[in-house]
Amino acid sequence: MEECHTLVFDKGMENGAFSGVRYNLQEYLEKYPDAEFEIITDTYNMTTTVMEGYIYRDGQEAVAGIISLWTLG
């Protein structure tokens, strides 16, 4: 799964300016082991899947996230 990355933003993206961090899959799983990802929108093509949604962690405000997967089809 080297061709998977996650963008985690500091808040919801619909509310003006935001910043974020890009993690590979292993980094994301280590940093957010207890997180839930709610998929709001997903898109597919021959080799790429992109899921946009919200990341929930216990006791913290939800933040926006994007997971991008590259596959062989």
Side-chain angles (χ1 to χ4, degrees), residues 33-53:
D34 61 337
E36 294 183 25
F37 190 87
E38 177 186 16
I39 299 170
I40 303 297
T41 304
D42 53 349
T43 56
Y44 305 90
N45 69 26
M46 184 177 274
T47 59
T48 305
T49 300
V50 178
M51 297 165 281
E52 298 180 31

Side-chain angles (χ1 to χ4, degrees), residues 28-72:
Y28 174 78
L29 293 174
E30 290 171 4
K31 182 145 178 90
Y32 298 92
D34 61 337
E36 294 183 25
F37 190 87
E38 177 186 16
I39 299 170
I40 303 297
T41 304
D42 53 349
T43 56
Y44 305 90
N45 69 26
M46 184 177 274
T47 59
T48 305
T49 300
V50 178
M51 297 165 281
E52 298 180 31
Y54 291 97
I55 300 169
Y56 296 94
R57 296 174 75 190
D58 287 337
Q60 297 185 14
E61 185 176 337
V63 296
I66 299 173
I67 296 176
S68 179
L69 301 164
W70 182 84
T71 64
L72 294 175

Side-chain angles (χ1 to χ4, degrees), residues 11-30:
K11 58 184 174 180
M13 294 185 297
E14 68 280 352
N15 297 321
F18 59 87
S19 63
V21 178
R22 178 182 167 156
Y23 298 102
N24 67 37
L25 180 60
Q26 187 61 42
E27 292 170 329
Y28 174 78
L29 293 174
E30 290 171 4

